[in-house]
């Protein structure tokens, strides 16, 4: 599924125009990116958590030449799926 297909489904489910759904999706994505880039965590209960994680500097190998290279430390985004999302994907039902 791509962004256009997601907008179409969201518009249909929420009974709003595709333009409104597109603006809403763009706003949500911008808010998540802004928060995570500042180091904040964004939790959507049942869906998942977006956060940033620091990756330490390390050495690696150039696969073409075999030469050892230094890979610098960096900060990367991470997503952890929530329990409701995991259950939906696995096809299992929630325990009562």
């Amino acid at each position: 599924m791509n962004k256009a297909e997601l907008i179409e489904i969201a518009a249909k489910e929420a009974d709003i125009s595709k333009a409104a759904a597109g603006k809403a999706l763009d706003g949500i994505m911008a808010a998540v990116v802004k928060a995570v880039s500042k180091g904040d965590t964004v939790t959507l209960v049942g869906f998942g958590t977006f956060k940033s994680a620091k990756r330490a500097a390390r050495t690696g190998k150039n696969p073409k030449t075999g030469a050892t290279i230094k890979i610098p430390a960096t900060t990367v985004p991470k997503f952890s799926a929530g329990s409701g999302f995991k259950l939906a994907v696995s096809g299992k039902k929630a325990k009562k």
Side-chain angles (χ1 to χ4, degrees):
M1 175 182 302
N2 62 30
K3 185 176 177 183
E5 293 168 336
L6 181 60
I7 288 170
E8 189 174 330
I9 291 169
K12 187 176 179 181
E13 290 289 322
D15 196 26
I16 57 175
S17 70
K18 286 184 188 178
K23 282 184 179 181
L25 181 59
D26 288 342
I28 291 167
M29 289 186 345
V32 169
V33 169
K34 186 176 181 180
V36 172
S37 65
K38 288 189 335 188
D40 295 337
T41 299
V42 178
T43 302
L44 303 172
V45 177
F47 181 73
T49 302
F50 299 89
K51 58 186 171 183
S52 62
K54 297 197 183 297
R55 186 179 288 168
R58 61 196 193 279
T59 57
K61 278 192 173 180
N62 180 328
K64 190 172 185 179
T65 64
T68 301
I69 57 173
K70 292 180 182 175
I71 302 170
T74 189
T75 302
V76 295
K78 289 186 88 173
F79 175 75
S80 300
S83 60
F85 189 22
K86 288 179 185 178
L87 286 172
V89 171
S90 71
K92 296 179 183 174
K93 294 190 180 195
K95 294 180 181 177
K96 291 184 182 182

